Amino acid sequence: METKKVNKVSALATMDAFARWARLKKYRIEVTYGVYVFSPMEKVVFWTLFCFLFTVTSFAAVVYAQRNLLLLIRYAAAVLVNGGSGSGVVSNLMPRSTGAAYSVARSGVTSLAETMGSAANSQVP
């Protein structure tokens, strides 16, 4: 019985602390960006845009964090394997696709215009 009461009190204290923190963050944003002088409708628009941008940014960070972290780890491993020299590392990390605007090869970066310059002109009858 005592343990449940202690857990309930600590949960309420944690929620209270979080609510206080959130109120302080909201106050800080309102004071920093002058939201406190907005009309109620302007506040609705501001907080709607703020929440939307925060959600989109958070979602992108979560979705792309694993890919970017793996790319950084691969780059660091490639630099370590090459003895600290970063030459030629990027070409080993980037995917080689034929439809890309730039193709990364051992000889360097070739633009799409340079690649297509040697192609036959299909527009001439």
Side-chain angles (χ1 to χ4, degrees):
M1 185 78 170
E2 279 295 316
T3 311
K4 287 183 181 179
K5 197 176 215 180
V6 170
N7 287 342
K8 192 180 251 189
V9 169
S10 85
L12 287 175
T14 304
M15 287 178 51
D16 235 13
F18 178 75
R20 184 175 186 277
W21 176 83
R23 279 193 308 270
L24 286 173
K25 288 296 176 188
K26 182 180 180 284
Y27 175 76
R28 182 179 176 190
I29 290 170
E30 285 192 352
V31 169
T32 303
Y33 297 111
V35 179
Y36 64 93
V37 297
F38 289 172
S39 70
M41 195 60 198
E42 290 171 332
K43 283 185 181 184
V44 167
V45 170
F46 173 82
W47 285 112
T48 302
L49 289 173
F50 180 83
C51 291
F52 174 74
L53 291 174
F54 180 77
T55 303
V56 168
T57 304
S58 300
F59 180 75
V62 168
V63 168
Y64 296 114
Q66 180 183 6
R67 183 184 66 139
N68 292 339
L69 186 62
L70 289 174
L71 184 67
L72 287 172
I73 290 171
R74 272 191 262 155
Y75 182 74
V79 167
L80 290 174
V81 167
N82 286 341
S85 144
S87 62
V89 172
V90 175
S91 64
N92 294 333
L93 296 176
M94 302 298 280
R96 290 177 177 84
S97 75
T98 56
Y102 290 96
S103 63
V104 179
R106 294 235 181 249
S107 61
V109 177
T110 306
S111 72
L112 182 61
E114 291 171 344
T115 304
M116 294 305 289
S118 61
N121 190 352
S122 62
Q123 300 299 316
V124 177

